[in-house]
């Protein structure tokens, strides 16, 4: 057991981290040190012989983070505040966690010559060019390619772009260390992963989670499904199991193919408008989960400012070009939109019913 590679998973308690931890432990080829301020999503894994869980805030300045980096073979950095509502309400916290604190992790990796798998975001692509010019959404140029697409943000006063900008700058710092041959890194740009353990429902705790949880909450409680600015933006959703499969291949890094590469991980075929997602979820809920007599939520429109506050601006369309992941990792998604949406809904419904019974 002591010969297994040691992976330090920072931010392991989040949606991606918890699913990745579970998969790495199930495969039994790694020893995992999971670090997070919250271990709730890891509950099923705690006690596993190959897992050590540290309930720790990576912002602590007690030297323990550097020691952890020094003592592992590979660092996977998932530490992030990745929620559009927070970009609008807490822009400085978003900047400091997503840039300043992540930069410390990167610098520890440089110092101790450790490979890092750095999670970034598809938000670095920003908006499509045509989206800025206000042309027809259907004509907007996509998909985005890791090494050739421009990164286009809105004006500074629309401060939601602080997250995308922080992540973009972090990527550029990694690239610069690579240019000086001081860091072995791989950057992952996730495109809207969904599945079991994603987010919380807005009825469960305060905050403003991502769209899937809002729609799910509306379906479970019969409240309106709100389409921000008409739900005209597009997203392409990826099943977390498909995403984790890609991430494990990146962790394994066969023949060093991932060295200093950026990978889009996403499912271009699973594109839908947000309006389309609302209708699909309502239809699937009706087909699979609605109890007789339960209300059918209406679909209403709200403005971005009303929903998020001032400083919001949407990413109009994001489709990944995944040819690099296919060519270098032999990876492709297996779940279509309907099945990933249904499975994620089932997770919420089951959880909701269990809670209601207890
Ligand atoms: N959105 C919506 N209704 C909601 C929550 C979000 O129409 O209740 C929209 C939001 O404006 C964006 C899309 O759904 O166009 C996806 O937002 P999400 O919060 O899931 O995060 P993102 O994909 O932008 O990271």
């Amino acid at each position: 057991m002591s010969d297994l590679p040691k992976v330090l998973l920072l931010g392991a308690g989040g949606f991606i981290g918890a699913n990745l931890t579970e998969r790495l432990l199930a495969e039994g080829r790694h020893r995992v040190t999971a670090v997070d301020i919250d271990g709730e999503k890891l509950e099923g894994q705690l006690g596993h012989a190959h897992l050590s869980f540290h309930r720790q805030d990576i912002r602590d300045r007690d030297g323990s983070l550097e020691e952890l980096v020094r003592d592992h073979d590979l660092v996977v950095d998932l530490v992030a505040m990745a929620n559009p509502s927070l970009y609008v309400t807490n822009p400085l916290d978003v900047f400091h966690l997503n840039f300043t604190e992540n930069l410390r992790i990167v610098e520890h990796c440089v110092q101790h010559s450790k490979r890092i798998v750095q999670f970034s975001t598809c938000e670095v692509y920003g908006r499509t060019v045509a989206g800025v010019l206000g042309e027809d959404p259907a004509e907007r140029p996509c998909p985005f390619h890791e090494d050739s697409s421009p990164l286009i943000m809105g004006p500074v006063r629309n401060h939601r772009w602080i997250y995308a900008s922080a992540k973009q700058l972090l990527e550029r710092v990694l690239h610069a260390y690579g240019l000086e041959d001081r860091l072995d890194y791989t950057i992952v740009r996730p495109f809207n992963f969904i599945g079991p353990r994603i987010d919380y429902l807005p009825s469960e705790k305060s905050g403003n989670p991502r769209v899937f949880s809002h729609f799910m909450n509306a379906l479970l409680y019969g409240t309106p499904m709100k389409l921000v600015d008409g739900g005209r933006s597009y997203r392409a959703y990826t099943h977390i199991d498909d995403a984790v499969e890609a991430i494990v291949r990146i962790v394994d890094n066969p023949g060093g193919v991932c060295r200093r590469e950026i990978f889009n991980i996403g499912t271009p075929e699973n594109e839908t408008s947000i309006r389309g997602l609302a209708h699909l979820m309502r239809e699937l809920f009706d087909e699979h989960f609605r109890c007789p007599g339960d209300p059918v939520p209406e679909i209403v429109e709200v403005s971005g400012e009303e929903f998020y506050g001032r400083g919001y601006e949407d990413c109009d369309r994001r489709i990944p070009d995944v040819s690099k992941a296919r060519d270098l990792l032999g990876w492709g998604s297996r779940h279509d939109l309907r099945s990933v949406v249904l499975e994620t809904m089932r997770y919420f419904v089951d959880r909701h019913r269990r809670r209601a019974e207890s």
Side-chain angles (χ1 to χ4, degrees), residues 84 123 160 192 209-212 214-215 226-228 231 233 235 237 274 307-308 312 314-315 318:
E123 282 225 3
R160 80 98 67 188
N192 289 88
R210 279 159 291 195
V211 67
F212 200 96
H214 276 289
F215 287 174
K226 294 181 181 169
L227 294 181
V228 173
S233 294
R235 298 290 187 271
Y237 289 97
I274 299 303
F307 192 82
Y308 290 105
Y312 181 67
D314 209 349
C315 304
R318 338 167 150 146

Side-chain angles (χ1 to χ4, degrees), residues 104-116:
R104 285 180 66 231
I105 298 167
V106 171
E107 288 179 339
H108 292 324
C109 290
V110 171
Q111 180 83 25
H112 296 284
S113 304
K114 302 295 177 182
R115 176 174 179 240
I116 183 168

Side-chain angles (χ1 to χ4, degrees), residues 18-304:
N19 281 283
L20 178 59
T21 302
E22 186 174 55
R23 170 71 186 269
L24 290 175
L25 294 177
E27 288 193 347
R29 297 186 290 111
H30 301 86
R31 278 169 64 193
V32 178
T33 301
V35 177
D36 207 293
I37 43 176
D38 181 1
E40 196 189 328
K41 290 184 178 168
L42 292 168
E43 252 165 28
Q45 314 304 316
L46 299 178
H48 192 290
H50 291 183
L51 175 69
S52 158
F53 175 60
H54 293 230
R55 189 180 303 280
Q56 185 178 326
D57 190 332
I58 60 119
R59 288 169 286 202
D60 290 345
R61 295 291 192 267
D62 58 4
S64 56
L65 179 66
E66 180 169 1
E67 280 174 25
L68 282 169
V69 170
R70 190 195 59 205
D71 293 344
H72 287 76
D73 300 305
L74 169 69
V75 176
V76 179
D77 180 10
L78 282 149
V79 174
M81 281 168 99
N83 173 328
S85 167
L86 296 174
Y87 316 157
V88 176
T89 55
N90 299 33
L92 287 176
D93 290 345
V94 165
F95 172 74
H96 283 305
L97 188 71
N98 292 300
F99 183 75
T100 317
E101 300 299 331
N102 273 272
L103 182 60
R104 285 180 66 231
I105 298 167
V106 171
E107 288 179 339
H108 292 324
C109 290
V110 171
Q111 180 83 25
H112 296 284
S113 304
K114 302 295 177 182
R115 176 174 179 240
I116 183 168
V117 175
Q118 177 68 60
F119 275 73
S120 182
T121 172
C122 59
E123 282 225 3
V124 294
Y125 293 107
R127 307 189 55 118
T128 62
V129 185
V132 171
L133 301 175
E135 290 161 11
D136 180 359
E139 303 300 320
R140 293 174 189 180
C142 256
F144 298 127
H145 189 274
E146 297 94 333
D147 303 313
S148 57
S149 295
L151 312 179
I152 302 166
M153 314 267 148
V156 168
R157 63 185 300 168
N158 291 346
H159 54 265
R160 80 98 67 188
W161 296 110
I162 198 160
Y163 171 70
S165 307
K167 287 289 199 183
Q168 186 193 139
L169 186 56
L170 189 70
E171 286 196 15
R172 292 188 188 280
V173 172
L174 286 158
H175 177 74
Y177 275 121
L179 290 175
E180 294 191 1
D181 210 11
R182 293 167 67 191
L183 183 63
D184 179 0
Y185 68 85
T186 305
I187 292 170
V188 178
R189 293 180 181 162
F191 280 70
N192 289 88
F193 299 169
I194 57 172
R197 287 186 279 217
I198 189 176
D199 279 349
Y200 55 93
L201 294 178
S203 58
E204 290 170 356
K205 62 178 190 183
S206 64
N208 192 349
R210 279 159 291 195
V211 67
F212 200 96
S213 305
H214 276 289
F215 287 174
M216 203 60 231
N217 204 73
L219 290 163
L220 290 169
Y221 293 97
T223 53
M225 301 171 90
K226 294 181 181 169
L227 294 181
V228 173
D229 295 327
R232 289 187 310 268
S233 294
Y234 287 80
R235 298 290 187 271
Y237 289 97
T238 293
H239 195 297
I240 187 67
D241 289 351
D242 283 331
V244 164
E245 176 62 38
I247 299 162
V248 169
R249 290 177 193 210
I250 289 169
V251 165
D252 287 345
N253 191 21
V257 288
C258 303
R259 185 173 165 83
R260 297 182 188 148
E261 292 288 353
I262 302 175
F263 287 96
N264 289 337
I265 301 300
T267 314
E269 302 77 20
N270 286 356
E271 192 186 21
T272 173
S273 68
I274 299 303
R275 178 179 286 277
L277 178 69
H279 283 277
L280 175 63
M281 287 178 69
R282 207 167 63 168
E283 178 197 317
L284 289 173
F285 193 79
D286 204 41
E287 212 176 293
H288 296 269
F289 307 114
R290 183 177 310 290
C291 300
D294 280 358
V296 178
E298 56 175 340
I299 295 177
V300 301
E301 296 190 11
V302 293
S303 72

